[in-house]
Amino acid sequence: MTALLALGGVALAVINAGRPSAPAASAAFGESAVVESRIRDLSAIAPVAAPPTVPAGSANPNPNPDSESDPDAPAGEDPAPRNPDPRNPDPRDPGSRDPASPGPTPGPEAGRTPVPEPGTTGAPGLASTPPRLLVISPSTLTEQTKEDISRLKYVQKIDSFDGGAVKVSGVGLNLIAVDPDRFRAWAPRAVAEQQGIWNALTRGEFVADSAAARRLGLVLGSEYQVDGGPRLRAAASAGFGLPGVDGIVGEETGRRLGLLPGVALLVHSSEKAAGVLRTRVGRLLGPGSQVVAVGARTVKPTLKPTTGATTGRAGAGRVRRVAVGRPGSYLELYRKAAGVCPGLSWTVLAAIGQVESSHGRNNGPSSAGARGPMQFMPATWKAYGVDGDGDGIADIWNPYDAVPGAANYLCANGAGRGGKKLEKAIWFYNHSWSYVAKVMGISRGYAAAYP
């Protein structure tokens, strides 16, 4: 994130000036008293390791009877698909792709990379020019500065792009806005060859960096409301390898977001010359500018999968085992599963279990593809699912696996530290502060009922 710190401060001033900020978590907690009494007799509910009550592949419009739609969604628009466990190394299953749609029309400039026909994955004739340096300026780079950089010894190619920082529910995203046709040559070849990536940018959608998708818990296929701005659909993720850059959008989307023009610059040279060039480029820039080395990196992009791409089961040897066993009631199960995350109260797991499936009464799949008593997406389950009952399988439908899996996921987001870290971990489970308030309120109710 350090590469765009200076840029982010400038961009946020432009994007958020005069606009209301996202509601703070504490402001939403005023509603919690309403739900504190809505608790279940957990000692009377027995976990059942059973397949879904709704046939796999069918859409369940209301899988979570205690859940609410996103209160921040604009009137007349459908809320973003819900996903309780967005964080995973590949936020959606690899290999699945968005339906092909027409790519951008090549411009008249000589040498511009031709765009493959819709439905193809290759990029014939693409000359890859991996960036060696990323330049970030607090203001638009002048044409003279860019010309001076281009004339430096060892510089083979440069290109500038718009950039800035936006916030989604108070969480910062550093973005650059690109012409897909021009930027494609700067992407790792494995990314450049995926036509779905470039189609998504042309459609005005957001392509997240793989590392950012994991860190921020982004859910591919979901729409995110930018604080004081438009909604963005996270269509895909890929390893662009640009330090501090959380994602890419198209130029028109960048203008809608208020990103600053021409503040990001990529420089291509031989790998050996990158160190020397970093010093020389730095001398040509004004105060506050940053020059960051870009390491070679090739990560296969991940696109949104079709529903039912995986079974939600993982074989032995590929899953983490935790000692939960098969308790006879949800009360005991939640208490034992909390031990997976030291510092996490079992009442938080109970509250999430109530909101997501009413303690296994409605396991989905949801219309977004979330499954099981804790409503995981299958691809995320691959990263955070555990074997809780010792049968050698991490089963998304099995409460003895799903509940400790939820504890595992929450812990990865800092839930064991309590306070604001806990609230943020719950927010990562479902990107809504009203959801956080509801879970915290029900959690307090269970704490009072079972002291």
Side-chain angles (χ1 to χ4, degrees):
M1 298 289 283
T2 55
L4 289 184
L5 287 178
L7 169 61
V10 175
L12 282 173
V14 174
I15 297 168
N16 295 327
R19 293 171 173 168
S21 58
S26 58
F29 290 158
E31 304 172 2
S32 61
V34 177
V35 297
E36 284 183 3
S37 61
R38 297 172 58 190
I39 61 174
R40 310 288 193 260
D41 181 3
L42 298 180
S43 62
I45 305 175
V48 178
T53 55
V54 179
S58 65
N60 183 353
N62 185 25
N64 307 316
D66 286 315
S67 294
E68 296 175 347
S69 59
D70 183 357
D72 298 324
E77 293 189 24
D78 292 333
R82 296 178 62 255
N83 177 23
D85 53 356
R87 181 168 304 211
N88 79 77
D90 294 321
R92 284 296 181 269
D93 293 334
S96 300
R97 306 181 54 197
D98 284 340
S101 61
T105 303
E109 293 83 356
R112 177 169 282 193
T113 305
V115 177
E117 291 296 319
T120 64
T121 59
L126 177 67
S128 179
T129 54
R132 303 302 181 192
L133 299 176
L134 168 63
V135 176
I136 300 298
S137 172
S139 59
T140 302
L141 290 162
T142 66
E143 292 301 319
Q144 184 62 54
T145 298
K146 290 188 286 187
E147 182 178 349
D148 291 343
I149 293 174
S150 69
R151 292 179 180 275
L152 289 173
K153 187 178 181 180
Y154 306 122
V155 171
Q156 299 174 18
K157 176 183 175 181
I158 68 170
D159 204 348
S160 62
F161 304 96
D162 302 346
V166 300
K167 286 189 175 184
V168 175
S169 296
V171 178
L173 288 177
N174 291 323
L175 306 176
I176 61 173
V178 305
D179 174 348
D181 213 11
R182 282 168 38 212
F183 184 75
R184 193 168 186 167
W186 293 98
R189 181 168 291 277
V191 177
E193 290 177 348
Q194 294 294 320
Q195 182 62 32
I197 295 283
W198 314 104
N199 290 343
L201 292 174
T202 303
R203 293 193 298 267
E205 297 173 332
F206 166 53
V207 178
D209 180 78
S210 298
R214 293 193 297 270
R215 187 183 74 253
L216 302 172
L218 299 177
V219 184
L220 301 191
S222 293
E223 290 188 350
Y224 292 88
Q225 179 65 55
V226 175
D227 295 356
R231 294 172 72 89
L232 283 181
R233 180 178 184 268
S237 71
F240 293 106
L242 299 177
V245 176
D246 297 319
I248 311 294
V249 296
E251 289 181 322
E252 178 57 35
T253 302
R255 283 190 282 270
R256 290 170 56 214
L257 291 170
L259 302 189
L260 297 178
V263 294
L265 183 78
L266 296 178
V267 179
H268 173 63
S269 70
S270 67
E271 190 171 358
K272 292 182 179 179
V276 174
L277 272 179
R278 183 179 181 184
T279 301
R280 295 179 180 177
V281 170
R283 292 171 181 165
L284 296 175
L285 300 172
S289 296
Q290 302 169 70
V291 184
V292 182
V294 179
R297 181 182 174 197
T298 302
V299 179
K300 187 74 172 178
T302 304
L303 301 182
K304 181 177 182 291
T306 56
T307 300
T310 66
T311 63
R313 296 169 67 91
R318 294 191 295 151
V319 298
R320 176 186 173 191
R321 294 189 179 185
V322 297
V324 172
R326 287 177 163 257
S329 70
Y330 262 102
L331 175 61
E332 188 180 358
L333 174 58
Y334 288 132
R335 283 174 166 167
K336 286 192 173 184
V340 173
C341 182
L344 175 66
S345 171
W346 69 268
T347 62
V348 173
L349 292 175
I352 291 175
Q354 177 169 317
V355 173
E356 295 300 336
S357 71
S358 192
H359 312 297
R361 286 184 173 92
N362 195 332
N363 291 341
S366 72
S367 58
R371 303 176 178 188
M374 301 304 277
Q375 288 291 282
F376 276 89
M377 294 296 286
T380 304
W381 180 252
K382 289 180 180 178
Y384 292 96
V386 299
D387 171 18
D389 57 4
D391 64 357
I393 296 174
D395 188 348
I396 200 170
W397 302 105
N398 185 344
Y400 304 114
D401 296 342
V403 175
N408 188 36
Y409 174 74
L410 289 167
C411 209
N413 286 306
R417 298 182 225 172
K420 295 298 181 183
K421 289 290 186 180
L422 172 60
E423 294 169 10
K424 193 63 180 178
I426 298 170
W427 181 88
F428 275 119
Y429 208 99
N430 186 324
H431 293 66
S432 165
W433 287 116
S434 66
Y435 177 90
V436 175
K438 188 169 190 175
V439 167
M440 293 295 287
I442 294 174
S443 174
R444 286 191 287 271
Y446 279 121
Y450 299 93

